[in-house]
Amino acid sequence: MDDSRETLGPRAFVTGYPAKHSRSPLIHGHWLKTLGLQGSYQAHEVKPEDFPAFMRALKNGESGFAGGNVTIPHKEMVFKLADEPDELSEELGASNTLWIEDGRLKATNTDGRGFTANLDERHSGWDKATSAVILGAGGASRAVIQAVRDRGFSEIHVVNRTVDRAAELADRFGPKVYAHPIAALGEVMKGAGLFINTTSLGMDGESAPQIDFSPLLSGAVVTDIVYVPLKTPFLKQAEEQGFAIVDGLGMLLHQAVPGFEKWFGQRPIVTEELRSLIIADMERH
Ligand code: ATR
């Protein structure tokens, strides 16, 4: 039954192209239900060529949405078209969360907050180290670099197959960020207390190269922003080598919190029940 039109309360969306595989409707739907709030949250697929019109209708209120989430490939465009992107978005050049406030379309990027909240929840004390290694220099690594820097790490080593992309990010994110080729991985891991994979290596059961994590500090944490599978090849290797691991699912769950609060007025909580709901959905698809 399509009850979207009869739904009372604020309406929010996730838009992307494609958008139908997004798990965000499941997350926000769970919170609306458990908090007993009126409102709706639905996937809304918009082609890149139709995106400016979608944004116009959002801004002038025609679409009736209170705001929404934005995913690939619209994150950069939404940043450019929003009335007021915040400082986090400005530095990243991309936004993933939108809301109307005082008649203006505001935008932020919650990926970094999702990343740190996941680690805070699952391995508190992760931020005591001073040096971090980030594998990958694509779109997904930017919010992670920003978050780790803003948490106070003083050395952030970005290691990437294409070293020029890592160098671009080192320029963008300031003097604490260093760029390296893959060959330097073992060297830069020495003394690091945090290792983050932001590449697609190991996603969806694909194989991933072997990494020797032993140069990391004992007690270091290894995390992956890939969450399908939940225990990625890198996480499996790190666990076998005696390191603490944190999977990436919590980043997805926690990045959703600020948007929900903006649109529906209550701050939701990430629970084990929600995590299990998403894991069950991942097992079905
Ligand atoms: P996203 O926006 O999701 O981060 P992306 O911009 O395509 O996606 O970046 C993917 C990241 O995974 C990049 O760091 C990429 O390395 P390059 O910049 O050298 O392309 C990395 N990556 C993907 N496949 C890889 C592989 N087979 N070996 C090493 N790195 C790989």
Side-chain angles (χ1 to χ4, degrees):
M1 187 180 79
D2 177 9
D3 60 357
S4 58
R5 283 172 208 287
E6 285 85 45
T7 305
L8 298 170
R11 292 170 57 224
F13 59 82
V14 54
T15 185
Y17 192 69
K20 57 180 180 291
H21 303 299
S22 168
R23 294 201 166 84
S24 294
L26 207 54
I27 298 171
H28 292 281
H30 173 80
W31 284 332
L32 284 169
K33 196 168 85 188
T34 52
L35 290 167
L37 295 174
Q38 286 191 326
S40 70
Y41 183 102
Q42 284 175 336
H44 197 78
E45 202 157 270
V46 179
K47 289 185 181 148
E49 61 267 34
D50 298 333
F51 198 69
F54 174 77
M55 287 290 280
R56 273 197 300 279
L58 181 61
K59 282 189 201 186
N60 65 25
E62 246 171 58
S63 63
F65 285 118
N69 287 125
V70 181
T71 183
I72 292 165
H74 303 318
K75 287 185 181 187
E76 286 82 14
M77 187 54 77
V78 92
F79 159 72
K80 290 194 187 113
L81 297 177
D83 296 321
E84 279 184 42
D86 70 354
E87 271 180 39
L88 292 171
S89 308
E90 291 276 0
E91 191 182 37
L92 296 170
S95 305
N96 73 344
T97 302
L98 289 170
W99 69 100
I100 311 270
E101 192 177 315
D102 305 327
R104 313 257 305 152
L105 187 61
K106 305 210 174 180
T108 187
N109 197 307
T110 64
D111 286 334
R113 272 171 280 177
F115 176 80
T116 53
N118 182 36
L119 283 169
D120 285 339
E121 180 199 302
R122 303 195 86 79
H123 197 95
S124 68
W126 65 276
D127 53 350
K128 298 284 178 281
T130 54
S131 174
V133 174
I134 298 178
L135 183 62
S141 82
R142 296 176 176 214
V144 172
I145 296 171
Q146 186 185 54
V148 167
R149 182 200 62 195
D150 291 351
R151 221 6 139 72
F153 280 72
S154 51
E155 270 181 48
I156 298 149
H157 299 284
V158 180
V159 178
N160 199 45
R161 176 178 60 182
T162 312
V163 72
D164 286 355
R165 292 186 88 190
E168 245 174 69
L169 298 188
D171 282 348
R172 180 185 285 255
F173 292 100
K176 293 175 180 165
V177 183
Y178 303 88
H180 308 276
I182 298 277
L185 190 59
E187 193 56 34
V188 300
M189 279 163 80
K190 284 182 190 160
L194 179 64
F195 180 100
I196 308 136
N197 174 48
T198 70
T199 72
S200 49
L201 288 166
M203 195 188 266
D204 286 327
E206 296 289 319
S207 65
Q210 196 69 29
I211 293 182
D212 173 14
F213 291 100
S214 65
L216 293 175
L217 291 176
S218 68
V221 186
V222 176
T223 186
D224 200 323
I225 68 166
V226 171
Y227 59 90
V228 182
L230 214 47
K231 198 180 280 186
T232 63
F234 289 138
L235 294 181
K236 224 181 247 176
Q237 292 173 31
E239 190 176 49
E240 282 163 11
Q241 294 174 38
F243 292 94
I245 60 168
V246 175
D247 68 61
L249 179 55
M251 178 174 172
L252 171 75
L253 306 179
H254 283 282
Q255 64 76 32
V257 169
F260 187 95
E261 189 176 15
K262 291 283 184 203
W263 313 314
F264 303 115
Q266 270 195 48
R267 192 167 181 82
I269 295 171
V270 172
T271 57
E272 279 304 313
E273 188 192 0
L274 174 60
R275 194 176 146 86
S276 304
L277 188 77
I278 305 299
I279 292 172
D281 185 65
M282 280 160 53
E283 281 163 2
R284 276 195 297 275
H285 299 100

